[in-house]
Amino acid sequence: MLILGGTAEARTLAAALDDRAGVRVVSTLAGRIAEPRLPRGEVRVGGFGGPDGLAAYIRQEGVETVIDATHPFAERMSWSAFAACDQTHTALLRLERPPFERDAAIDWHEAASLEDAAALLPAAGRRVFLTTGRQGLGAFADVRDAFFLVRCVEAPDPAALPPDHELLLDRGPFTVAGELGLIDRHALDVLVTKDSGGELTQAKLTAARDSGLPVIVVARQSRPDTETVETAAQALAWLDHAG
Ligand code: NAP
């Protein structure tokens, strides 16, 4: 079994499968983060070299099932898994947490892309809590007349940062009290987030709601049409059924 990982759900699934006898499970990570949270069991780090490389790996290792548990915004890996599984006639399951639930108490603005989110600034707010991550930060590099508190796990390319910013290197899960503290200390007046979903990233939305901040939510992009479950428990049930 091959788990394409990089998420909490992937780690939960790997831990559950690690206890099972007679199943070889390999979790894979892209290798972008210097000190990633490692899943339990066997781990492979680094890309495969596109769909053909993944297909070759599947054949070579005799992979029978691929579980694409990558982040909702890791689109390239998902499309690659879709193509490679199609090519090798391998079973594919997508494990993807649902998007954030829209909260009527939040002034909620949906953006189709990071660029569209950037275009809403500074009109939507001049003190921005930017939590969309290191990749794609360049979309905000030209936004002037706004201060950004940029939170990422690892330092981004300095050229991608907006002119007026403070960089906060930190990794969740975050608490509502911690997020409220940041909003207060930096006098933030708008939150920008990807529609990552999941409880681990919910605190910032709760804090934004409690502080009356508008939220700009970058929508998920289109995905391959694959059988999908939302939790590791559902993935286990699917695997039991499929097996
Ligand atoms: P991406 O754009 O879809 O992937 C870029 C390339 O990285 C892929 O084509 C693949 O290289 C390699 N790759 C990605 N995920 C991999 C995995 N799990 N195992 C092996 N190779 C992988 O993905 P991304 O947005 O850069 O995200 C990279 C990783 O970080 C993913 O594993 C994702 O789950 C995790 N992550 C992403 C975000 C986010 O906001 N994008 C947030 C949290 C965690 P090859 O083509 O060479 O195979």
Side-chain angles (χ1 to χ4, degrees):
M1 229 173 264
L2 185 66
I3 303 176
L4 305 172
T7 57
E9 291 80 6
R11 288 191 293 278
T12 305
L13 181 62
L17 289 170
D18 196 40
D19 291 334
R20 294 195 173 185
V23 192
R24 179 177 171 216
V25 180
V26 177
S27 294
T28 76
L29 300 174
R32 298 261 171 81
I33 303 276
E35 288 179 32
R37 290 198 174 111
L38 288 174
R40 244 168 74 188
E42 199 175 329
V43 181
R44 177 191 184 282
V45 180
F48 297 93
D52 291 345
L54 178 55
Y57 179 87
I58 287 172
R59 288 196 190 95
Q60 183 190 313
E61 299 294 323
V63 175
E64 291 176 356
T65 307
V66 174
I67 297 135
D68 171 17
T70 53
H71 188 268
F73 281 79
E75 295 116 22
R76 257 173 63 198
M77 189 69 247
S78 285
W79 283 103
S80 183
F82 183 69
C85 288
D86 186 49
Q87 216 184 101
T88 55
H89 308 291
T90 307
L92 172 64
L93 178 68
R94 170 78 179 144
L95 167 53
E96 181 175 303
R97 63 182 96 130
F100 288 128
E101 249 177 61
R102 213 183 166 117
D103 185 336
I106 295 179
D107 180 13
W108 191 282
H109 303 261
E110 192 148 313
S113 63
L114 291 168
E115 288 72 17
D116 284 6
L120 295 174
L121 299 168
R126 287 181 182 273
R127 299 204 52 96
V128 186
F129 190 8
L130 186 57
T131 64
T132 50
R134 188 168 53 144
Q135 287 174 65
L137 214 49
F140 299 89
D142 293 329
V143 179
R144 298 181 189 273
D145 301 323
F147 162 82
F148 288 81
L149 179 66
V150 180
R151 184 167 68 194
C152 319
V153 176
E154 286 196 345
D157 172 5
L161 285 161
D164 185 8
H165 73 268
E166 187 175 322
L167 188 59
L168 175 61
L169 298 183
D170 203 356
R171 166 150 57 182
F174 302 104
T175 63
V176 175
E179 304 293 53
L180 284 169
L182 287 175
I183 290 171
D184 190 42
R185 262 198 311 287
H186 296 274
L188 303 171
D189 62 5
V190 63
L191 167 70
V192 183
T193 175
K194 286 177 176 171
D195 197 355
S196 301
E199 282 173 21
L200 295 180
T201 48
Q202 180 68 40
K204 58 188 167 187
L205 286 177
T206 307
R209 186 196 60 203
D210 293 354
S211 313
L213 260 60
V215 177
I216 299 173
V217 182
V218 180
R220 297 179 180 188
Q221 307 302 305
S222 73
R223 284 268 162 193
D225 185 13
T226 313
E227 197 166 352
T228 302
V229 294
E230 295 183 347
T231 64
Q234 288 169 357
L236 284 171
W238 183 91
L239 289 167
D240 288 341
H241 180 71

